[in-house]
Amino acid sequence: VADSYHQRIQVFTPHGGFIAQWGSLGGAIGQFWFPYGVAVDAAGQIYVADTYNHRIQKFGQLPTAARSTSWGRLKNLYR
């Protein structure tokens, strides 16, 4: 779940039990500025649309999201 106003991602079981969370306000890997969309691929990789950082972040499988990658950062082109 993208918890946009708290700059974090939360993960729950299908029955609503809490599993994990990560993120904070900022522009570094693992930080967000209004995360909005979350997707998971067939391999369990997690993709987060980081709205105001203008990028997509990719994280490894749960229970640890240790591996991360970022694409985007278009806002620097428009300043």
Side-chain angles (χ1 to χ4, degrees):
V1 174
D3 186 358
S4 302
Y5 292 101
H6 293 105
Q7 319 307 329
R8 65 185 175 186
I9 301 301
Q10 297 189 71
V11 183
F12 299 92
T13 68
H15 300 291
F18 178 79
I19 295 175
Q21 73 177 18
W22 73 91
S24 61
L25 178 61
I29 297 294
Q31 293 185 315
F32 306 105
W33 187 10
F34 207 81
Y36 192 74
V38 178
V40 180
D41 68 15
Q45 304 296 306
I46 303 163
Y47 299 82
V48 179
D50 188 4
T51 305
Y52 296 118
N53 279 321
H54 305 277
R55 65 185 177 181
I56 302 293
Q57 291 193 66
K58 177 183 173 186
F59 299 93
Q61 300 174 0
L62 289 176
T64 62
R67 290 181 295 148
S68 59
T69 305
S70 177
W71 298 277
R73 305 299 299 192
L74 295 176
K75 71 179 183 179
N76 292 331
L77 298 175
Y78 299 103
R79 287 189 179 176

